[in-house]
């Protein structure tokens, strides 16, 4: 009988340790579940922030595209104003000096070694250029 009581006491001690371990594991599981919920909440906040930033990036890209288009339009307008002014200057010279041949004077002619060089020679480097089409049109217009 003493043996049975000893075994019973050992089992109760062992059962107590198992219950303590179970309670400890349960507590750790609860803490881990709470941490997981907190991390998920933070992750949700980060996902929302990422979505907001992606939307902002899209808006900035659209705005930037609009600015690039406006810049190209302004380049084209500046070229037109420049060529118009050059044409008006040639007309003034023609009025003041009617006998003067102004046919060799072009908007972008350049004096090289004492000779007037036509603009086509100046645009040769741009012939294989990767310039956008609007910039090439701008260069073409100013050389007309």
């Amino acid at each position: 009988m003493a043996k049975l009581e000893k075994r019973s006491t050992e089992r109760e001690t062992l059962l107590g340790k198992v219950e303590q371990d179970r309670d400890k594991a349960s507590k750790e599981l609860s803490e881990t579940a709470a941490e997981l919920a907190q991390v998920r909440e933070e992750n949700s906040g980060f996902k929302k922030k990422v979505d907001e930033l992606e939307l902002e990036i899209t808006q900035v890209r659209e705005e930037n595209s609009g600015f690039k288009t406006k810049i190209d339009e302004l380049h084209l307008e500046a070229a037109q104003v420049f060529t118009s002014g050059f044409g008006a200057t040639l007309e003034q010279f023609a009025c003041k000096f009617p006998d003067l041949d102004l046919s060799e004077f072009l908007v972008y002619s350049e004096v090289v070694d004492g000779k007037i060089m036509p603009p086509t020679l100046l645009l040769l480097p741009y012939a294989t250029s990767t310039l956008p089409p609007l910039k090439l049109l701008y260069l073409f217009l100013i050389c007309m």
Side-chain angles (χ1 to χ4, degrees), residues 109-142:
S109 293
E110 196 172 288
V111 177
V112 178
D113 295 329
K115 296 181 182 178
I116 296 176
M117 302 302 290
T120 54
L121 296 178
L122 297 174
L123 284 179
L124 235 54
Y126 300 106
T128 58
S129 172
T130 57
L131 286 174
L134 198 54
K135 298 257 187 208
L136 288 174
L137 176 62
Y138 162 75
L139 286 171
F140 175 75
L141 279 176
I142 60 177

Side-chain angles (χ1 to χ4, degrees), residues 47-63:
K47 285 181 179 179
K48 182 179 178 185
K49 185 68 175 173
V50 166
D51 290 342
E52 290 171 1
L53 290 173
E54 286 177 346
L55 178 64
E56 188 177 333
I57 286 170
T58 302
Q59 292 170 344
V60 168
R61 282 186 177 148
E62 288 172 2
E63 187 178 343

Side-chain angles (χ1 to χ4, degrees), residues 82-131:
F82 180 73
T83 55
S84 175
F86 184 79
T89 303
L90 285 181
E91 286 179 22
Q92 292 174 28
F93 265 92
C95 284
K96 190 72 174 174
F97 307 102
D99 296 334
L100 187 61
D101 179 21
L102 300 174
S103 64
E104 62 181 284
F105 297 105
L106 301 172
V107 173
Y108 258 82
S109 293
E110 196 172 288
V111 177
V112 178
D113 295 329
K115 296 181 182 178
I116 296 176
M117 302 302 290
T120 54
L121 296 178
L122 297 174
L123 284 179
L124 235 54
Y126 300 106
T128 58
S129 172
T130 57
L131 286 174

Side-chain angles (χ1 to χ4, degrees), residues 9-11 13 20-21 27-29 40 42-43 52 57 70 78-79 85-86 88 93-94 98 102 107 112 120 131 136:
T9 306
E10 286 176 355
R11 284 185 182 164
T13 305
Q20 286 177 349
D21 289 345
K27 183 180 176 185
E28 288 176 359
L29 181 61
R40 283 186 175 158
E42 288 174 7
N43 189 29
E52 290 171 1
I57 286 170
K70 185 65 176 173
F86 184 79
F93 265 92
L102 300 174
V107 173
V112 178
T120 54
L131 286 174
L136 288 174

